[in-house]
């Protein structure tokens, strides 16, 4: 299993500068960020469950945990629906050896009984090993997508936090921060224009920003509303 052969590089996750606690713009309780940061460096809580609608920052927060843990010399694993679909449930075997396991999109792959049993077992093994696990879902853990009662209780063994959708002001700040990470200056009015005209979820907006980054570099132009219109064919 790649996560165990190369323990500093988690399966499906590449440590980098984009997904960090510093770059996280979220409408969630700041207490959550403190708990997540402490957990990711091997202290405090051993389990955390996040839930909320798409674009609320769940995946960013999970990857921030991975980044933070890796920078503290811990072994980490980040798995999403893409890595789990079509795989046998025994791919969870051995993950308890890692310091931190992060599982995203839980509600999208946990419908089958064998995966529920596998996750139940993994949570127990992680705790027995003294390690940590963070999970994220668009649905609360006590909702009906979990049919195994024992697993439903296990999902709430640690703190459970709901993340809320970002306001347009939060999205503006997140876009401008991401642009700055790429060495770009994104004026506030241009960020507002992107938010009002294009996909409202952050991943969609970040994809638009990446396209603009390439176009601005190629044309050697600043990020302006006319440039946005020319790139996206308005």
């Amino acid at each position: 299993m790649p996560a165990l052969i190369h323990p500093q590089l988690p399966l499906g996750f590449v440590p980098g500068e984009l997904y960090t606690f510093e770059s996280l713009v979220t409408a969630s309780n700041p207490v959550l960020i403190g708990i997540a940061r402490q957990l990711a460096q091997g202290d405090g809580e051993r389990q955390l469950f996040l839930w909320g609608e798409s674009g609320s920052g769940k995946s960013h927060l999970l990857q921030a945990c991975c980044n933070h843990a890796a920078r503290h010399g811990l072994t980490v694993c980040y798995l999403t629906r893409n890595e789990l679909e079509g795989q046998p449930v025994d791919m969870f075997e051995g993950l308890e050896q890692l310091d931190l396991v992060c599982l995203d999109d839980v509600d999208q792959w946990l419908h089958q009984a064998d995966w529920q049993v596998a996750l139940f077992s993994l949570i127990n093994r992680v705790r027995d090993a003294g390690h940590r696990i963070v999970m994220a879902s668009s649905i609360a853990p006590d909702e009906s997508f979990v049919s195994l009662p024992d697993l439903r209780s296990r999902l709430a063994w640690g703190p459970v936090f709901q993340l809320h959708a970002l306001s347009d002001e939060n999205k503006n700040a997140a876009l401008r921060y991401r642009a700055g990470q790429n060495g770009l200056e994104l004026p506030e009015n241009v960020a507002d224009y992107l938010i009002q005209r294009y996909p409202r979820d952050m991943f969609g907006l970040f994809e638009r920003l990446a396209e603009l980054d390439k176009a601005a570099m190629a044309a050697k132009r600043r990020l302006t509303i006319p440039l946005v219109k020319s790139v996206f064919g308005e």
Side-chain angles (χ1 to χ4, degrees):
M1 183 182 300
L4 302 180
I5 296 172
H6 304 289
Q8 296 298 335
L9 294 176
L11 181 64
F13 173 79
V14 179
E17 297 297 325
L18 294 182
Y19 296 102
T20 65
F21 288 117
E22 292 72 25
S23 66
L24 180 66
V25 177
T26 177
S28 65
N29 190 326
V31 172
L32 164 60
I33 309 304
I35 290 174
R37 186 188 292 269
Q38 189 177 32
L39 178 151
Q41 61 195 42
D43 298 317
E45 298 288 347
R46 295 192 178 278
Q47 181 174 314
L48 183 61
F49 193 100
L50 313 172
W51 69 279
E53 63 185 272
S54 177
S56 58
K58 302 185 302 294
S59 295
H60 188 137
L61 188 52
L62 259 65
Q63 292 182 65
C65 286
C66 288
N67 256 317
H68 198 67
R71 288 180 178 134
H72 280 77
L74 303 180
T75 54
V76 297
C77 178
Y78 173 66
L79 293 171
T80 71
R81 176 185 62 180
N82 291 336
E83 283 82 34
L84 295 173
E85 281 186 338
Q87 299 298 320
V89 295
D90 62 6
M91 73 177 297
F92 278 172
E93 295 297 325
L95 291 185
E96 70 278 0
Q97 299 175 37
L98 301 174
D99 295 303
L100 174 63
V101 176
C102 289
L103 303 176
D104 209 346
D105 311 318
V106 168
D107 56 301
Q108 298 182 36
W109 51 265
L110 200 55
H111 297 284
Q112 296 181 1
D114 54 350
W115 277 109
Q116 294 190 23
V117 172
L119 181 55
F120 174 82
S121 176
L122 175 61
I123 291 173
N124 289 335
R125 297 197 312 272
V126 167
R127 293 180 71 92
D128 289 344
H131 294 154
R132 287 163 172 79
I133 184 168
V134 183
M135 295 162 282
S137 164
S138 63
I139 304 174
D142 58 352
E143 296 291 343
S144 60
F145 80 94
V146 179
S147 59
L148 184 65
D150 286 343
L151 174 59
R152 195 175 301 145
S153 66
R154 290 293 190 277
L155 294 179
W157 261 5
V160 176
F161 281 90
Q162 180 182 8
L163 275 67
H164 299 282
L166 297 181
S167 66
D168 285 352
E169 182 180 1
N170 291 144
K171 291 177 181 180
N172 189 299
L175 278 173
R176 288 187 288 119
Y177 190 99
R178 175 63 65 88
Q181 287 181 298
N182 294 333
L184 295 171
E185 180 182 352
L186 178 63
E188 188 170 350
N189 69 315
V190 180
D192 281 337
Y193 186 85
L194 288 170
I195 292 166
Q196 296 301 322
R197 292 296 189 97
Y198 299 111
R200 302 299 292 269
D201 67 278
M202 289 311 303
F203 284 112
L205 288 168
F206 284 154
E207 288 177 355
R208 294 280 181 170
L209 182 61
E211 292 181 55
L212 288 173
D213 183 2
K214 294 178 182 178
M217 290 182 62
K220 297 182 179 179
R221 293 173 57 185
R222 298 176 60 189
L223 293 179
T224 62
I225 290 177
L227 177 62
V228 173
K229 291 180 177 181
S230 67
V231 170
F232 299 126
E234 293 188 29

